[in-house]
């Protein structure tokens, strides 16, 4: 059962997350919900509920999707290897990046890049 947050709390969390996303805090390797909640000064449970309610997914999946969008942007403009891009956007290894990318996009990163060209 999730805790229902008030409108003011949701607005505050939303503003803090918007700034965090603008600064691309999701690129940090090893990011956890505990670390993010501490860095933006928000209760971990409230942050989790906000992400679940607002984005319809859990924290890890939401962060992975932010990272994948950043990776797609980099794949459009850079000639870096997929392993380099995976590391740049916060994935610990290429295999995990590829799995998460395919889950979201329906194609492997290499197939997506090839299709782009």
């Amino acid at each position: 059962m999730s805790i229902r947050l008030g409108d003011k709390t949701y607005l505050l969390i939303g503003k803090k997350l918007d700034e965090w996303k603008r600064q691309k805090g999701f690129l940090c390797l090893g990011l956890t919900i505990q670390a993010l909640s501490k860095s933006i000064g928000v209760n971990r449970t409230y942050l989790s509920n906000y992400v679940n309610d607002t984005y319809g997914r859990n924290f890890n999946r939401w962060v992975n999707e932010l990272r994948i969008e950043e990776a797609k942007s980099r794949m459009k403009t850079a000639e870096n290897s997929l392993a380099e891009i995976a590391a740049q956007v916060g994935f610990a290894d290429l295999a995990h990046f590829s799995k998460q990318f395919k889950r979201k996009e329906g194609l492997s990163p290499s197939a997506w890049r090839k299709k782009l060209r």
Side-chain angles (χ1 to χ4, degrees):
M1 182 168 146
S2 73
I3 299 169
R4 187 67 196 145
L5 301 175
D7 291 341
K8 286 172 76 172
T9 303
Y10 260 54
L11 285 173
L12 175 66
I13 294 171
K15 285 181 182 179
K16 289 183 177 202
L17 283 182
D18 286 346
E19 178 60 20
W20 176 80
K21 286 189 297 185
R22 191 184 66 70
Q23 292 181 2
K24 298 189 180 193
F26 54 87
L27 300 179
C28 178
L29 180 64
L31 177 68
T32 64
I33 193 167
Q34 292 86 358
L36 176 57
S37 66
K38 186 176 181 178
S39 80
I40 65 171
V42 172
N43 175 286
R44 192 208 71 78
T45 302
Y46 289 177
L47 177 58
S48 177
N49 289 338
Y50 179 89
V51 170
N52 291 338
D53 293 345
T54 303
Y55 301 106
R57 53 200 35 83
N58 69 31
F59 177 79
N60 289 330
R61 188 163 181 186
W62 174 67
V63 168
N64 284 339
E65 289 179 0
L66 291 171
R67 290 172 172 170
I68 289 165
E69 288 304 310
E70 180 67 20
K72 285 168 46 182
S73 176
R74 291 177 186 218
M75 286 192 298
K76 290 176 186 173
T77 60
E79 291 299 319
N80 296 19
S81 73
L82 292 176
E84 289 171 323
I85 291 172
Q88 291 169 357
V89 300
F91 284 97
D93 58 67
L94 180 58
H96 185 64
F97 169 66
S98 294
K99 180 180 178 182
Q100 295 303 313
F101 193 99
K102 188 167 185 176
R103 179 183 195 182
K104 181 176 186 303
E105 297 300 323
L107 294 169
S108 68
S110 57
W112 188 90
R113 188 182 236 181
K114 190 178 282 186
K115 185 178 173 184
L116 182 67
R117 295 178 184 179

